[in-house]
């Protein structure tokens, strides 16, 4: 009888998936199956990717080898089956006390175990011979020792890189050429010495990097940014002569925008042979040359956070200014924009159904996504929403934008001048360094408590002094910032809003897109809530619940009410007005 064979392959980390480890193991095992006349099948090829035999992860719940082992114990293979592996360390690298019980369990359960290495076969239902025992012990112990050595070398190399990065902070020196894509490296050590590279910014790529961050702050999502970069043929960054053929992707742009290395920070990671990488909870400031300042980075993260729930077609077309803002009054679901007629398309006259004319503008409606798609509420066993009334989009957009311009004229805040922006950057930088110093001081205090070391005591006291000095510097900078905001000129926001309004329907695609993105950011900043009702009215709350508005289907303002009569200033001033920042105000309790 021809015995069916199952091939088992394994590799420890995902980087090996890019190499030939899997291909090599499968090829060797398939050859052995054919050589012995067993019955192979691709359906019986088990591959545990990124699971370590040293830690035993490949024999833990969830691994394919674990499932095979459980099936064997349950008696599934008692009629004969062969498990083929490249060598025993693919099964376990935890030593003889792990590999021998495994062999005994499988063979006793009717499974023949075969290894390509040495063309060794451990037959089912046969006692494992002393020679096989010795061979298994020697091989598994050698594998375990090699794994331990490799693990120690890897940890030592990682720790050494961290300590060297901490020692070289501010010098922009790396011991590896693997650095972020916007950084160039030049070897400064001799070929006979350990590698050392001087890092510098690649100005061309940094210009693109800063553009990506600015577009993010301006309201563009990663799909729109990717489309923009690919559309103009912006070369995709390559690293170590490895270049992507997929162009700029949403995933890559997202990784760039959230990567704190743009500010020069190095965050070492634990990279185990199996499982995901985890942080070492160490931050090395000023390791890389800084390409993006902390204020710009923080603004980009805030912009990304503010756009949650607005993904989809708007990220590309920028048509719907209320994407992620407008909700259904009945169910709280999102209002989706659907175009009925495009500009220039044929439209029938309501009074004379036989007459057809060309529309002079797009005609679209906001519709409840849940009602439109008949989304089912399983908990209540009914349609989630019955609000099938449509809200005319173009008229509502025009009315809301017009009112927003007036609202901002009366409630404008002083915008940052160049001097204010500079101080904000200095404060952000100082706070980052203060946070790092405080962590060092806390660690030193813990070490001193545990060891009573005089050296750790001196380090702890020195760091405490540096923390106090850094905080004094921040206090001084914040006073400068307050003074700059008091005396800084208030910009004419009306001109900016009017420019956005004029360009919303521009024939120039780029100008129109930029204006609509900017206006959407403006509206998100002042609209607290926006609900479309079954009556086709739209209820809007502006500011911090300062004013409520109701627009009808024709875009007419039918009701407005002041919800909060008291206006508070940036420091708690009662009835504060931005045109008179130095007036004598009563402070809120």
């Amino acid at each position: 009888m021809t015995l069916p064979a199952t091939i088992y392959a394994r590799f420890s980390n995902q980087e090996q998936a890019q190499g030939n480890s899997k291909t090599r193991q499968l090829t060797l095992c398939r050859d052995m199956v054919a050589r012995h006349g067993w019955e192979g099948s691709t359906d019986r090829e088990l591959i545990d990717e990124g699971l370590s035999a040293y830690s035993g992860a490949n024999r833990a719940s969830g691994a394919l080898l674990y499932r095979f082992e459980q099936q064997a114990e349950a008696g599934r293979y008692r009629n004969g089956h062969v498990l083929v592996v490249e060598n025993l360390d693919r099964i376990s690298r935890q030593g003889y006390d792990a590999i021998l019980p495994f062999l005994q369990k499988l063979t006793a359960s009717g499974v023949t175990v075969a290894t390509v290495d040495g063309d060794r076969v451990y037959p089912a239902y046969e006692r494992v011979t002393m020679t096989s025992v010795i061979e298994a012990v020697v091989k598994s112990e050698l594998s375990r020792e090699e794994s331990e050595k490799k693990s120690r070398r890897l940890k030592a190399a990682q720790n050494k890189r961290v300590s060297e990065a901490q020692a070289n902070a501010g010098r922009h020196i790396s011991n590896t050429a693997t650095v972020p894509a916007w950084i160039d490296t030049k070897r400064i050590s001799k070929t006979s010495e350990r590698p050392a590279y001087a890092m510098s910014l690649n100005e061309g790529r940094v210009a693109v990097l800063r553009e990506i961050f600015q577009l993010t702050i301006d309201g563009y999502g990663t799909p729109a940014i990717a489309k923009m970069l690919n559309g103009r043929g912006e070369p995709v960054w390559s690293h170590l002569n490895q270049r992507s053929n997929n162009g700029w992707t949403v995933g890559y742009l997202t990784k760039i925008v959230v990567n704190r290395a743009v500010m020069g920070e190095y965050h070492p990671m634990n990279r185990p042979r199996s499982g995901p990488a985890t942080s070492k909870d160490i931050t090395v400031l000023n390791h890389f040359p800084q390409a993006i300042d902390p204020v710009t980075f923080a603004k980009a993260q805030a912009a990304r956070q503010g756009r949650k729930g607005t993904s989809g077609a708007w990220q590309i077309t920028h048509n719907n200014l209320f994407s992620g803002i407008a909700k259904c009054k009945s169910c709280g679901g999102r209002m989706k924009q659907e175009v009925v007629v495009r500009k220039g398309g044929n439209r029938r006259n309501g009074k004379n159904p036989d007459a057809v004319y060309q529309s002079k503008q797009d005609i679209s409606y906001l519709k409840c996504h849940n009602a439109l798609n008949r989304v089912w509420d399983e908990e209540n066993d009914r349609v989630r929403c019955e609000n099938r009334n449509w809200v005319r989009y173009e008229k509502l957009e025009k009315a809301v934008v017009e009112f927003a311009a007036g609202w901002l004229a009366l409630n404008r805040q002083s915008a940052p001048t160049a001097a204010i922006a500079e101080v904000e950057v200095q404060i952000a930088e100082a706070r980052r360094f203060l946070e790092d110093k405080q962590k060092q001081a806390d660690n030193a205090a813990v070490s001193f408590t545990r060891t009573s070391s005089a050296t750790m005591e001196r380090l702890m006291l020195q760091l405490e002094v540096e923390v106090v000095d850094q905080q004094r510097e921040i206090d001084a900078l914040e006073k400068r910032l307050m003074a700059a905001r008091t005396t800084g000129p208030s910009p004419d926001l009306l001109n900016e809003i009017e420019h956005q309004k004029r360009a919303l329907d521009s024939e120039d695609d780029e100008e129109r897109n930029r204006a609509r993105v900017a206006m959407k950011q403006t509206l998100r900043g002042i609209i607290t809530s926006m609900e479309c009702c079954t009556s086709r009215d739209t209820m809007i709350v502006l500011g911090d619940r300062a004013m409520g508005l109701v627009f009808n289907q024709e875009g007419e303002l039918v009701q407005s009410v002041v919800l909060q009569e008291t206006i508070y200033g940036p420091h708690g001033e009662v009835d504060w007005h931005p045109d008179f920042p130095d007036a004598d105000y009563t402070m809120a309790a």
Side-chain angles (χ1 to χ4, degrees):
M1 180 181 68
T2 301
L3 295 178
T6 291
I7 292 175
Y8 177 70
R10 179 198 61 76
F11 47 86
S12 299
N13 53 54
Q14 293 299 334
E15 284 76 6
Q16 289 177 294
Q18 308 301 321
N20 65 355
S21 178
K22 179 173 71 174
T23 302
R24 185 195 69 248
Q25 291 180 59
L26 291 177
T27 300
L28 292 173
C29 290
R30 288 168 184 165
D31 289 344
M32 185 174 190
V33 169
R35 190 165 61 251
H36 285 265
W38 297 320
E39 181 187 337
S41 172
T42 55
D43 294 334
R44 293 195 298 272
E45 292 180 350
L46 310 180
I47 305 171
D48 276 328
E49 301 186 7
L51 295 182
S52 171
Y54 179 64
S55 66
N58 67 318
R59 291 187 61 193
S61 178
L64 296 179
L65 184 60
Y66 172 85
R67 187 171 68 183
F68 182 89
E69 188 175 348
Q70 295 299 306
Q71 291 172 345
E73 280 191 287
R76 179 171 178 176
Y77 305 117
R78 291 197 179 278
N79 293 328
H81 204 93
V82 183
L83 178 66
V84 184
V85 295
E86 180 187 26
N87 47 50
L88 288 177
D89 66 7
R90 293 298 156 192
I91 295 172
S92 177
R93 290 193 173 189
Q94 294 182 310
Y96 71 91
D97 50 349
I99 191 66
L100 285 182
F102 178 86
L103 287 174
Q104 293 167 346
K105 179 192 298 183
L106 288 194
T107 55
S109 300
V111 177
T112 294
V113 180
T115 63
V116 175
D117 183 24
D119 200 38
R120 170 67 62 182
V121 177
Y122 302 88
Y125 301 121
E126 290 188 13
R127 179 176 177 273
V128 181
T129 66
M130 181 60 69
T131 303
S132 298
V133 171
I134 295 174
E135 181 182 15
V137 169
V138 171
K139 284 184 175 294
S140 59
E141 283 298 295
L142 288 176
S143 296
R144 184 178 62 84
E145 290 176 6
E146 179 61 27
S147 291
E148 287 181 343
K149 290 178 182 177
K150 189 180 295 184
S151 177
R152 287 196 296 268
R153 287 196 300 267
L154 182 61
K155 289 180 180 178
Q158 291 176 343
N159 292 335
K160 186 172 183 179
R161 183 183 178 186
V162 172
S163 61
E164 288 176 339
Q166 291 172 325
N168 290 324
R171 298 175 60 194
H172 302 154
I173 294 176
S174 172
N175 293 110
T176 173
T178 303
V179 295
W182 56 88
I183 293 176
D184 291 332
T185 58
K186 180 180 180 181
R187 182 156 183 163
I188 56 177
S189 61
K190 298 179 181 179
T191 55
S192 58
E193 298 175 341
R194 187 164 179 266
Y197 300 87
M199 296 183 286
S200 61
L201 294 176
N202 181 309
E203 293 302 330
R205 292 185 177 183
V206 168
V208 176
L209 182 69
R210 290 170 180 164
E211 179 185 6
I212 291 170
F213 270 82
Q214 189 57 54
L215 288 171
T216 301
I217 293 170
D218 290 343
Y220 287 85
T222 46
I225 298 174
K227 181 182 179 183
M228 196 178 303
L229 295 176
N230 290 325
R232 76 184 190 205
E234 184 66 43
V236 183
W237 296 342
S238 61
H239 179 65
L240 299 179
N241 297 321
Q242 296 179 357
R243 182 167 180 167
S244 169
N245 295 320
N246 299 323
W248 292 90
T249 64
V250 170
Y252 185 49
L253 286 170
T254 300
K255 288 181 179 179
I256 289 176
V257 175
V258 301
N259 190 350
R260 298 182 68 87
V262 298
M263 296 186 292
E265 295 182 8
Y266 169 45
H267 291 263
M269 305 291 288
N270 292 308
R271 303 187 184 278
R273 293 180 60 80
S274 63
T278 58
S279 173
K280 288 181 178 290
D281 293 325
I282 298 173
T283 301
V284 182
L285 302 177
N286 202 16
H287 175 63
F288 302 113
Q290 187 182 90
I292 301 295
D293 66 74
V295 172
T296 300
F297 184 85
K299 287 180 179 178
Q301 307 318 305
R304 282 174 49 80
Q305 185 69 24
R307 283 196 302 276
K308 280 191 173 180
T310 63
S311 59
W314 183 88
Q315 295 283 7
I316 303 296
T317 64
H318 315 297
N319 285 331
N320 184 5
L321 297 186
F322 306 132
S323 171
I325 303 175
K327 305 293 182 181
C328 173
K329 176 68 173 176
S330 297
C331 69
R334 65 184 177 91
M335 297 298 290
K336 176 183 179 182
Q337 182 190 28
E338 282 213 347
V339 178
V340 177
V341 179
R342 290 289 184 188
K343 182 178 179 180
N346 291 333
R347 188 184 185 197
R348 294 189 181 278
N349 191 319
K351 297 180 180 179
N352 183 6
D354 295 330
V356 178
Y357 66 95
Q358 286 189 331
S359 176
K360 295 181 180 179
Q361 62 176 337
D362 289 347
I363 299 176
S364 63
Y365 293 86
L366 292 178
K367 306 177 182 181
C368 174
H369 170 80
N370 292 333
L372 180 66
N373 294 281
R374 307 291 292 175
V375 176
W376 194 256
D377 185 347
E378 295 182 0
E379 182 177 346
N380 297 307
D381 195 30
R382 60 180 175 81
V383 174
R384 184 168 297 175
C385 186
E386 296 285 357
N387 181 11
R388 301 185 66 82
N389 290 290
W390 301 355
V391 176
R392 176 65 189 278
Y393 175 81
E394 285 75 21
K395 291 182 178 180
L396 182 63
E397 178 190 287
K398 183 176 180 180
V400 173
V401 167
E402 286 290 342
F403 196 93
W407 170 263
L408 286 172
L410 296 174
N411 298 274
R412 63 188 184 275
Q413 304 287 335
S414 295
T417 62
I420 291 176
E422 180 181 352
V423 178
E424 286 179 337
V425 171
Q426 292 176 359
I427 291 175
E429 283 286 338
R431 287 196 178 281
R432 282 202 307 141
F433 280 90
L434 174 62
E435 183 180 353
D436 184 61
K437 289 288 184 186
Q438 188 63 62
K439 284 183 179 179
Q440 293 182 42
D442 292 343
N443 291 337
V446 171
S447 297
F448 171 68
T449 303
R450 187 172 60 248
T451 64
S452 299
S453 166
T455 301
M456 293 310 302
E457 182 182 17
R458 287 194 298 271
L459 177 60
M460 177 185 67
L461 295 174
Q462 177 186 344
L463 288 169
E464 286 180 351
V465 171
E466 292 179 5
V467 166
V468 172
D469 290 343
Q470 192 77 31
Q471 185 60 60
R472 287 174 180 167
E473 180 183 343
I474 292 173
D475 293 342
L477 288 170
E478 287 181 337
K479 289 182 180 179
R480 280 179 53 194
L481 180 61
M482 187 179 298
R485 282 176 172 165
T486 302
T487 59
S490 180
D492 188 357
L493 296 182
L494 279 177
N495 287 340
E496 175 62 26
I497 298 299
E498 285 299 322
H499 172 73
Q500 292 177 17
K501 285 168 51 180
R502 289 193 301 269
L504 287 179
D505 299 307
S506 171
E507 296 294 331
D508 183 277
D509 289 346
E510 183 175 350
E511 182 183 27
R512 182 179 65 254
N513 288 342
R514 287 187 178 277
R516 298 189 76 81
V517 169
M519 180 58 74
K520 185 168 190 290
Q521 290 289 91
T522 299
L523 295 179
R524 287 186 67 86
I526 64 174
I527 295 179
T528 302
S529 67
M530 180 176 183
E531 297 177 318
C532 298
C533 308
T534 55
S535 61
R536 298 193 179 184
D537 290 341
T538 300
M539 302 170 58
I540 297 177
V541 175
L542 296 180
D544 187 14
R545 299 197 58 79
M547 176 170 285
L549 311 168
V550 179
F551 293 91
N552 66 14
Q553 175 71 355
E554 298 302 315
E556 299 169 336
L557 179 63
V558 296
Q559 186 179 1
S560 64
V561 58
V562 176
L563 302 176
Q564 176 183 297
E565 295 185 358
T566 304
I567 306 299
Y568 294 100
H571 303 291
E573 303 93 332
V574 178
D575 292 329
W576 178 83
H577 195 286
D579 289 342
F580 307 100
D582 298 325
D584 187 14
Y585 293 109
T586 301
M587 303 301 290

